[in-house]
Amino acid sequence: ASNYSNIGSLAELEHKLAIQKEAEKSARQNILELERRIKDLGEIIKYAEQYRANRAYHIAYKKSKNPDSYFRKHETQLILYGGARRMLEQSGIKLKSLQIERLKLKYEELSNQKEELSATYKTYQKEVRNMTQQLEKIKNYMDYEYDAKDIQSKAKEDKMSL
C-alpha cells in the first residue's frame, strides 16, 4: 500500500485514467487523419510526376504532322498523360502552377508529423496501460483487505457463538 500513497484517491486515479484514455483516443484519430492526408498527397504526387514525365509526348502529339502514327508509337505515354491530367484536375490541382517539389515537401512534413504523433500515441498507450495496472492492483488490494476483514469478523462471530 505504501507504493500507492503518492497516487491519491481511487477516484482521482480513475479520473486521470479517463483523461489519459481520451488523449490516447484523440492522438489515434489525428494519426488516422494524417495517414489519410499522406495517402491522398502521395497519389497526387504520383499523378503529378506522370503528368510531368509524359507532357512532352502530348505536346509532340499536338504538333505532329501525322497524329495517328505518333499516337500508335506513344500510346502508353499519351494515355498516362491524359489519366494523370484528369486525376489532377479532379483533385483541384492547377496544372499551370503545379510544383511537385512543394508537394513532396508537404508530404515529408506530414510524414514527420505522423512520426511525432505516433511516438506521443505510444507514450499515451504506455501510460494508460500503467495506470490501468495500478488501478487493478489497488482494487485487488482493497478487495483482499475487505475479504480479510470479513474473514476476521466472521471468525470473531464464530468464537462468540461458541
Side-chain angles (χ1 to χ4, degrees):
S2 63
N3 293 341
Y4 304 112
S5 62
N6 61 346
I7 292 174
S9 71
L10 189 60
E12 184 181 325
L13 180 60
E14 288 173 339
H15 179 70
K16 287 179 183 178
L17 180 60
I19 291 171
Q20 202 66 23
K21 281 184 177 181
E22 187 60 37
E24 176 189 22
K25 182 180 176 184
S26 175
R28 180 69 185 141
Q29 288 173 342
N30 289 339
I31 289 171
L32 292 174
E33 175 63 23
L34 276 174
E35 286 174 342
R36 186 192 59 76
R37 288 177 58 197
I38 288 169
K39 180 183 172 236
D40 292 346
L41 190 56
E43 286 183 20
I44 289 172
I45 291 170
K46 178 183 85 171
Y47 290 124
E49 288 174 340
Q50 279 182 356
Y51 174 81
R52 181 192 283 171
N54 296 307
R55 188 166 186 269
Y57 292 101
H58 177 73
I59 292 169
Y61 172 70
K62 291 290 182 186
K63 293 180 180 179
S64 174
K65 292 183 182 184
N66 189 354
D68 290 335
S69 172
Y70 188 86
F71 183 80
R72 276 183 257 126
K73 286 181 184 176
H74 304 286
E75 183 176 3
T76 303
Q77 290 84 5
L78 292 169
I79 290 172
L80 285 173
Y81 168 81
R85 180 178 177 176
R86 264 191 305 286
M87 292 304 292
L88 290 171
E89 287 172 346
Q90 286 177 359
S91 297
I93 305 293
K94 295 178 183 174
L95 299 176
K96 292 187 180 190
S97 63
L98 182 64
Q99 295 178 349
I100 297 174
E101 290 72 28
R102 184 181 269 173
L103 293 173
K104 286 181 179 180
L105 285 174
K106 181 68 174 172
Y107 184 89
E108 191 175 318
E109 178 184 315
L110 290 175
S111 294
N112 290 338
Q113 285 179 4
K114 181 187 167 215
E115 285 179 26
E116 291 171 8
L117 198 53
S118 292
T120 302
Y121 173 71
K122 287 177 184 177
T123 302
Y124 287 149
Q125 271 187 320
K126 189 182 249 184
E127 290 175 8
V128 165
R129 189 171 35 252
N130 289 339
M131 292 172 92
T132 303
Q133 287 173 350
Q134 283 182 335
L135 187 61
E136 290 301 316
K137 286 178 182 178
I138 291 172
K139 285 182 177 181
N140 288 340
Y141 178 76
M142 291 174 67
D143 286 343
Y144 174 75
E145 277 197 354
Y146 289 129
D147 290 343
K149 287 179 183 177
D150 289 343
I151 292 170
Q152 288 174 354
S153 64
K154 284 183 183 180
K156 285 181 183 178
E157 287 176 13
D158 290 341
K159 284 182 182 180
M160 288 184 183
S161 65
L162 293 176

